[in-house]
Amino acid sequence: MEKVEVAAIGSTDEIYLFNAVGIMTVLVQDPQEADKKVFEFSQAGCKIIYLFEELYTMMGETLEKYKDKTFPIIIPIPSQKGSKGVGMKKIRDNVEKAIGMDIL
Amino acid sequence: MALMNVNPTRMELTKLKNGLATASRGHKLLKDKQDEMIRQFMLIIRHNQALRKEIESELARIMKKFSAAQLTMSYAGLMEALMVPSKSAELSVKTKTIMSIKVPTVEFAADDKEIDLTYGFVFTPSELDGAILSLSNLLPKMIELAQVEKTCDMLANEIEKTRRRVNAIEYIMIPDYIDTIHYVTMKLDDNERSNIIRLMKSKQIILEKDQRSKQQNSNLAAQSQ
């Protein structure tokens, strides 16, 4: 695989929009395929992987694997259907984990 | 409240006292580390929240434009327009250390000139141009979001770990040490007291014996006279 620094993985066509601005994009059918792609990208030295929220919520195990590593950074982004609040929930979870209560 | 499995000797007592001193020092250091990490975390998390809100609303807007473009174009035409990136997103990546956690710092290395669209404008709607240009403007912020969010993740995990350690030392290790030291001291004191009593008792027996033999001697002397 060629050198990729930023990648985006999505389950719908909108992901190709990111291709136009220089982000390597792949369209996947299911979380298993996305998991494989995440592995391939991380092996290729990819630094940031954007995942559509629908996939992000179904890939708990994969995310757990990369949790302690500095790279790749895997973060959720909303798809065309709009934000489901996955990103915000993650922020609130972090605050709760760190401080003990949600103060945001 | 559990005693450690130690022999009640002076040497163990010294060891335990040293252990307690180390545990207290460690507890203070870890607590300080935790406080500083929480301070750093609070600074970053608000920025993270604001950035995420902004990006989510902006992306929703871009996606809406893109859907409008999708409606007016054929699938093949759209794919053709999007397949050739005008530039590749390049990053300069480093790591920095916050309280001994390695967190990423990512900077968008591309020059901030607007990107050139790589397709002809004849068969593409203006919504597509708008979507791509907005997205390219948003890209540096998305990269910053990735960095900030990862930093928050790592800090939150480390804070949780440190808190567990602090609590383990504060509520288990230190009380155990204190209890064991108390137990050893009591035991040693008890031994000391039994020793004294034993000595006193022995002295009393010896004295009584002495007195008895003296009395016998004096009785014998009186009889012989």
Side-chain angles (χ1 to χ4, degrees), chain A residues 5 13 16 19 21-23 50 66 69 71 73 76 80 83 88 90-91 94-95 97-99 103-104, chain B residues 42 46 52 56 67 75 79 82-83 85 87 89 91 93 104 139 142-143 146 149-150 153 157 159 163:
Chain A
E5 294 217 302
D13 287 339
Y16 286 121
N19 202 42
V21 290
I23 296 176
Y50 295 104
Y66 297 100
K69 292 180 184 158
F71 295 109
I73 307 169
Q80 198 176 19
S83 169
M88 284 316 241
K90 200 175 148 212
I91 294 175
N94 272 343
V95 172
K97 207 193 277 179
I99 301 167
I103 54 161
L104 291 178
Chain B
M42 288 316 292
R46 298 225 181 257
R52 162 100 16 216
E56 284 196 353
S67 329
Y75 180 77
M79 288 302 124
L82 295 176
M83 270 310 125
K87 60 175 181 185
L91 308 172
V93 180
L139 199 57
M142 282 179 70
I143 283 163
E149 217 158 284
K150 185 75 184 180
D153 263 6
N157 284 336
I159 288 170
R163 187 187 308 119

Side-chain angles (χ1 to χ4, degrees), chain A residues 4-75:
Chain A
V4 182
E5 294 217 302
V6 192
I9 301 175
S11 48
T12 44
D13 287 339
E14 295 84 58
I15 198 74
Y16 286 121
L17 186 59
F18 291 92
N19 202 42
V21 290
I23 296 176
M24 175 84 180
T25 51
V26 273
L27 181 69
V28 294
Q29 303 301 328
D30 49 45
Q32 284 78 27
E33 205 183 334
D35 177 45
K36 226 182 271 173
K37 285 289 168 199
V38 167
F39 178 73
E40 276 173 26
F41 280 134
S42 76
Q43 289 294 306
C46 184
K47 305 294 186 232
I48 302 175
I49 300 174
Y50 295 104
L51 268 180
F52 270 2
E53 282 180 352
E54 291 84 24
L55 288 171
Y56 190 89
T57 46
M58 288 189 276
M59 287 173 61
E61 254 177 61
T62 318
L63 300 171
E64 197 68 25
K65 263 191 278 179
Y66 297 100
K67 201 177 74 178
D68 296 326
K69 292 180 184 158
T70 319
F71 295 109
I73 307 169
I74 304 173
I75 65 164

